[in-house]
Amino acid sequence: MIAIGSMLADLLDRIPLHVVGTEVSVEVTEVELALPIESRITDDATLLVSAPRGRLATGFDPHAGHVRVTFVGRSP
Amino acid sequence: MNTRARPGNAFPVEEFVQALSAQLDMAQDALALKARTGRPLTFALKDLAVELKVFWEVQPDGRLLLRHAAPGETGASTVNLGFTTITRAMVEENTLAFGLEDDGRSLGELGGEEGLDDRDRRRLEMVGVRTVGQFRKVMEGADPRQMEALLGTPVDRLRLALERSSTPVVTGHEVVRRPDGRRLLRIQGANLTNGERPRVRLGGEAVEVIEARPHEVVVRPLTHHRSGEVEVLVGAMSAHGFFELPGDPTPTQEVATT
């Protein structure tokens, strides 16, 4: 599990935002992600999250939450 | 055998939201850093919604705490938190403006014998009163009995707290150096003027008052002043403290006698 801020930056890093083809190029200008998460709050009130580990339910599963985030592109 | 996981700590809602906001700030900073690598397009966080399974706890003093549901726990509530980016102007419109003239001391300064207790302070915080300056603004012009009915705090305690909130107090000092090298002393506190210029004594000697505002008074120490007691006289009331001026004092001129 990692801090939610790190997860958000990591998610965006993994999305191809600029794809150059031979005839057509694609540039992503806005990204909206919605995904289930497992979450936990540490002793210093930091929210730690991770993607759910699988579909096999056990008695030790943390409760699943949900996160929806929107990133918007802009020229620096 | 009960294998239920041990529940985690509970946090005040505002503390958790602040911690989450700090995380989002870090994410924004990380995204902004990428712009410095020369990328033609960069991304910023526009909005975020988080759904969490939590349990709510209400403390005896009325504080609301939330605790994340542990694995195996049932009956958790669902809380949805939404964050969106707003401009600086919107932040300033919707938050309290902390003026330099306001008395920013905490309500704890009005405690003590027969003063506001923890429960009184909590009730005041729930109606948005967190500082002595805010308390005075709310109480001035208000009927104490109506305030007693609203807050549940006895009239006598409110009146005593209001008196204490208006009492002059010295909280600190700092040395101010003028361009010509002269040293002035800035005395910090609250209620240090009542509209008229206060009188100030350093080490028992009267000194010139250069500037006077409710939260600070600037005086010109005499050349031999180094440390001692500060006394600020505001009408019939006075406030006391101590001062210390760094550096060697100019020695007083002594007349040689034979």
Side-chain angles (χ1 to χ4, degrees):
Chain A
M1 283 189 156
I2 58 175
I4 188 169
S6 301
M7 186 200 76
L8 296 175
D10 194 45
L11 277 175
L12 192 63
D13 256 348
R14 297 176 187 280
I15 297 174
L17 301 173
H18 190 73
V19 179
V20 177
T22 54
E23 294 180 8
V24 176
S25 295
V26 175
E27 191 168 71
V28 176
T29 57
E30 188 166 313
V31 176
E32 184 172 325
L33 298 171
L35 64 157
I37 53 168
E38 290 180 355
S39 55
R40 185 166 67 88
I41 303 176
T42 64
D43 290 344
D44 60 354
T46 299
L47 178 63
L48 300 182
V49 296
S50 73
R53 286 163 288 175
R55 302 297 297 173
L56 179 64
T58 71
F60 304 98
D61 287 340
H63 291 267
H66 201 263
V67 67
R68 191 185 75 247
V69 60
T70 304
F71 297 99
V72 59
R74 60 184 181 188
S75 301
Chain B
M1 181 172 70
N2 186 0
T3 57
R4 181 172 296 180
R6 192 176 62 184
N9 293 333
F11 299 96
V13 174
E14 62 271 20
E15 190 176 315
F16 174 66
V17 171
Q18 283 171 7
L20 192 51
S21 297
Q23 280 294 313
L24 298 182
D25 289 341
M26 288 169 61
Q28 289 276 40
D29 291 343
L31 295 175
L33 201 59
K34 295 187 179 186
R36 298 186 185 181
T37 63
R39 294 187 178 207
L41 188 68
T42 185
F43 283 81
L45 187 70
K46 183 181 177 185
D47 51 58
L48 171 79
V50 178
E51 178 190 290
L52 300 172
K53 303 294 184 186
V54 300
F55 286 94
W56 295 98
E57 297 177 9
V58 182
Q59 299 296 294
D61 58 2
R63 282 199 313 164
L64 196 61
L65 308 183
L66 67 81
R67 175 178 64 78
H68 199 285
E73 279 192 306
T74 57
S77 304
T78 301
V79 64
N80 287 284
L81 297 170
F83 295 82
T84 188
T85 51
I86 57 176
T87 62
R88 184 191 301 272
M90 291 169 69
V91 172
E92 290 171 354
E93 273 179 19
N94 291 284
T95 52
L96 191 62
F98 293 99
L100 284 176
E101 300 288 332
D102 296 339
D103 188 344
R105 291 179 293 159
S106 72
L107 292 177
E109 301 285 334
L110 303 180
E113 191 177 346
E114 298 181 5
L116 299 179
D117 59 20
D118 287 344
R119 182 173 291 185
D120 297 331
R121 288 196 292 274
R122 182 65 59 189
R123 289 198 193 108
L124 285 166
E125 286 172 4
M126 287 171 65
V127 296
V129 177
R130 292 183 178 82
T131 67
V132 173
Q134 290 170 344
F135 174 76
R136 202 159 52 237
K137 280 184 186 173
V138 165
M139 290 299 298
E140 281 173 357
D143 183 355
R145 295 191 187 282
Q146 281 186 350
M147 296 304 291
E148 179 186 40
L150 177 66
L151 299 171
T153 302
V155 169
D156 292 341
R157 281 217 295 269
L158 288 174
R159 284 186 178 139
L160 183 62
L162 187 59
E163 280 178 22
R164 286 181 179 170
S165 72
S166 304
T167 303
V169 62
V170 172
T171 58
H173 69 279
E174 64 177 357
V175 178
V176 179
R177 288 201 178 272
R178 294 177 58 155
D180 59 4
R182 289 294 302 272
R183 295 178 307 175
L184 301 178
L185 184 67
R186 176 177 286 127
I187 302 164
Q188 297 148 336
N191 305 312
L192 297 179
T193 176
N194 58 359
E196 296 179 0
R197 188 170 287 269
R199 291 170 292 143
V200 179
R201 296 196 189 118
L202 295 181
E205 295 176 276
V207 291
E208 180 187 1
V209 176
I210 308 296
E211 295 174 16
R213 285 189 282 271
H215 64 287
E216 66 179 20
V217 173
V218 179
V219 301
R220 192 196 311 274
L222 300 177
T223 51
H224 62 274
H225 280 142
R226 178 146 186 213
S227 65
E229 186 184 22
V230 171
E231 186 180 13
V232 180
L233 299 152
V234 184
M237 295 186 287
S238 63
H240 298 262
F242 289 92
F243 76 97
E244 184 174 0
L245 295 169
D248 295 330
T250 304
T252 55
Q253 204 167 20
E254 294 181 357
V255 177
T257 58
T258 55

